[in-house]
Amino acid sequence: MIRGYRSQHSRHRLPCKGGIRYSSEVDLQEVEALSALMTYKCAVVDVPFGGGKGGIMINPKDWTDAELERITRRFTLELCQKNFIGPGVDVPAPDVGTGPREMGWIADTYRNFYPQDVNGAACVTGKALSLGGVRGRTEATGLGVYYGIREFLGYPEVQKQMKHHGKIQDTTVIVQGFGNVGYWASKFFESNGAKIIGIVEHDVAAYNPSGINVEQLSLWRKEHGTFRGFPDAQIISEPMTVLEAECDVLIPAALERQIGLRNAHRIRAKLIGEAANGPVTPGADEVLRTNGKVIIPDLLLNAGGVCVSYFEWAKNLSHLRFGRMNKRWDERSKEQLLALVEGNAGRELSEVERRQLIHGAEEHELVYSGLEDTMIVACNETRQTALEKNIDYRTAAMANSINKIAASLAGSGSIFTHA
C-alpha cells in the first residue's frame, strides 16, 4: 500500500495552495507543518490563498514512468472524491520529486473527473506551457530570492550591520544547492554583477574566489553528473567547508537544517538568505543573530514560487495569456509618441533603438514585473515592522502574516458562531 497525504492548514482564503512532494521521507507531521508554513508564506506576500501541502511516500527513482503516472492519477482521484482539489478548493503545485509532468497528469485526471468544469486547468499550477502553464514559473523562486536579497541590501541599517556598499555589483555570493532554486538564484545574481564564488552540492563543492561561470558549471554537471573535474574552479571534497567560507551573501537553497548549533558559529557570511525551507535551526538562528548576521527568512524569501503560481491560476481562470490583449496597442501608442519626439528632436532613431523603445511586454516580462513588485512590497513591510517593534526579520514576517490572517478572519466573521 502506498501512503499519500493532503493537508489544509487554513481556509481563511480559498483555494488552499501548496506543493505535492514525492519522497520516502514524507509523513503526516511533515505535510501538516509545511501546510502551516504555506499559510503564513501566502499571507506575507499578499497572495489570497490558504495553506496546503501534500505528498506521497515513495522514492520516484524506484518506479517507472508508467507506474508514477498510475500512482499520480490514483492519488488525484482520491483528492477528487474527497473534495481536496479544485480551482476554488485546493490547488496543488510541484515540490520535491515532482514537476510539470506530474502536474499535467493531475490536471488531466481532474478534467476527466469534472469534464463540465470550464476552469479545470486552474486545479493545479506548475504545468507545462502547452497545458496552461505560465512563462516565468520555472525560475520564479530563484528570481524571488534575488529580488528579496537585493531589496534588503539596499536598506541603510542592513548596509551598516554588514559593512557593505549595498549594491549587487561585486557582492560575493555562496549558494548551497544547485537544483532549480539554487541554479536560477545564481544566474540572476551573476547576470546583475555579483560574484558567485562558491556552489555547494551534497557530495562536493566548487569554489573560486574570482567567480564561477554558472552556466559552464551547469553544463559540466549535466554532461558528467558531478562537479568533479570542472576546470575553472577548485573542487572541494568537504562541501560544508565552503558553506562556512567568507562571503557577503550565503544562500542555503538545498535541504532543511543545514545550519545548526554544530556549525552556526563558523558561518562567516554577513547575510544569510533562506532560499530553502527551514535551512537554519532555531538554535542556530539565535547564534547567527548574536554574531551580527542578517537573516532573511524563508517565509518571505522563497515565496516567489507561490506568487507566480498565483499568476498562473489567475491566467487559467481568465482563459487569456498575459499581454495578449494590450501588447500591440502599447507598441502602437509608443510608436506615435516616438514619432512626435523624433519630429521635435530633428533626429530619427536607429531600427534597434526604435524596437527597444516600443517593445510591448511579453508574458514573462509581466510575470517578472508582478513578482518584483510583490517582493519589494513584502520586504518593505517586513522591514518596517522590524524597525517599529525592534525585532528580527523572521519574527517581523511572521507577525505581519498573522495580522493579515487575523484581519481576514475578523472581517469575514463566522456563519456558525457568535462573538
Side-chain angles (χ1 to χ4, degrees):
M1 182 176 69
I2 296 173
R3 291 187 180 273
Y5 304 93
R6 186 70 186 175
S7 168
Q8 294 177 350
H9 173 258
S10 175
R11 295 167 61 86
H12 73 286
R13 303 291 294 268
L14 287 175
C16 294
K17 191 82 184 76
I20 292 178
R21 57 176 52 188
Y22 289 1
S23 168
S24 55
E25 305 298 318
V26 165
D27 59 32
L28 180 59
Q29 288 72 31
E30 178 187 64
V31 168
E32 288 177 335
L34 291 172
S35 69
L37 179 63
M38 283 303 300
T39 295
Y40 303 123
K41 186 180 294 186
C42 290
V44 81
V45 291
D46 291 318
V47 169
F49 292 148
K53 204 73 176 185
I56 300 179
M57 196 169 66
I58 60 170
N59 182 348
K61 294 179 181 178
D62 295 339
W63 303 82
T64 66
D65 289 351
E67 288 169 336
L68 286 172
E69 181 176 358
R70 290 202 297 273
I71 291 168
T72 303
R73 289 185 183 276
R74 176 58 192 271
F75 181 64
T76 307
L77 282 173
E78 294 289 338
L79 295 178
C80 289
Q81 291 167 356
K82 294 172 175 60
N83 197 33
F84 262 68
I85 187 172
V89 179
D90 193 338
V91 179
D95 203 283
V96 176
T98 59
R101 180 185 66 173
E102 287 77 15
M103 300 307 107
W105 292 337
I106 291 172
D108 182 68
T109 306
Y110 179 88
R111 188 166 51 249
N112 280 279
F113 200 86
Y114 295 107
Q116 77 284 2
D117 188 352
V118 69
N119 294 320
C123 75
V124 65
T125 60
K127 304 180 293 294
L129 283 174
S130 58
L131 298 176
V134 70
R135 292 163 181 83
R137 177 63 181 87
T138 303
E139 63 269 32
T141 307
L143 181 57
V145 168
Y146 166 73
Y147 285 146
I149 293 175
R150 183 197 68 184
E151 288 306 301
F152 274 86
L153 287 177
Y155 299 152
E157 63 275 15
V158 172
Q159 294 171 15
K160 182 178 179 181
Q161 186 173 343
M162 291 177 61
K163 296 181 174 60
H164 188 266
H165 50 71
K167 296 180 173 59
I168 294 294
Q169 186 74 33
D170 295 326
T171 294
T172 55
V173 180
I174 292 176
V175 179
Q176 184 198 30
F178 206 49
N180 176 274
V181 179
Y183 167 76
W184 283 108
S186 302
K187 286 282 288 182
F188 285 115
F189 271 98
E190 181 185 42
S191 64
N192 285 277
K195 264 193 224 177
I196 310 298
I197 64 171
I199 297 178
V200 182
E201 273 283 64
H202 66 280
D203 55 344
V204 295
Y207 182 77
N208 185 342
S210 299
I212 296 169
N213 186 304
V214 173
E215 192 59 32
Q216 286 181 7
L217 182 62
S218 176
L219 292 172
W220 180 273
R221 193 183 67 165
K222 284 178 184 175
E223 183 179 348
H224 299 88
T226 179
F227 288 170
R228 295 185 190 277
F230 182 65
D232 296 329
Q234 182 184 356
I235 304 303
I236 297 174
S237 298
E238 294 293 332
M240 294 303 283
T241 60
V242 176
L243 190 75
E244 299 161 3
E246 188 172 348
C247 63
D248 295 320
V249 175
L250 172 62
I251 303 174
L255 301 174
E256 63 276 0
R257 300 190 296 274
Q258 295 301 295
I259 302 176
L261 290 175
R262 70 190 185 281
N263 63 348
H265 60 283
R266 294 196 298 269
I267 299 297
R268 287 185 282 169
K270 300 171 185 175
L271 182 148
I272 295 95
E274 296 183 334
N277 286 325
V280 178
T281 67
D285 181 87
E286 188 173 345
V287 171
L288 291 168
R289 287 189 289 106
T290 300
N291 290 341
K293 312 298 184 185
V294 177
I295 303 174
I296 309 177
D298 52 356
L299 181 70
L300 169 65
L301 194 62
N302 67 17
V306 75
C307 287
V308 178
S309 282
Y310 169 44
F311 300 158
E312 180 179 337
W313 177 77
K315 173 188 175 180
N316 293 155
L317 292 180
S318 69
H319 301 267
L320 198 63
R321 170 175 57 81
F322 295 135
R324 184 171 185 175
M325 295 293 287
N326 60 332
K327 181 177 188 293
R328 303 303 172 185
W329 171 260
D330 287 344
E331 289 183 349
R332 280 195 292 271
S333 299
K334 290 177 183 177
E335 279 183 332
Q336 292 171 358
L337 181 61
L338 196 58
L340 183 63
V341 171
E342 284 179 328
N344 288 333
R347 182 179 88 84
E348 287 192 5
L349 297 176
S350 69
E351 189 60 28
V352 172
E353 291 172 327
R354 178 179 291 275
R355 286 184 179 179
Q356 288 176 340
L357 288 171
I358 69 170
H359 171 71
E362 303 284 355
E363 182 174 70
H364 75 279
E365 293 167 324
L366 293 169
V367 166
Y368 284 11
S369 175
L371 175 57
E372 183 176 14
D373 181 68
T374 299
M375 293 304 296
I376 289 173
V377 171
C379 288
N380 194 53
E381 288 177 348
T382 302
R383 175 204 184 196
Q384 291 300 325
T385 300
L387 291 174
E388 289 170 10
K389 300 183 181 299
N390 193 28
I391 54 179
D392 61 274
Y393 295 125
R394 190 187 307 280
T395 307
M398 182 62 78
N400 287 347
S401 294
I402 292 171
N403 286 335
K404 290 176 183 180
I405 295 165
S408 175
L409 291 169
S412 59
S414 175
I415 193 172
F416 296 115
T417 60
H418 299 283

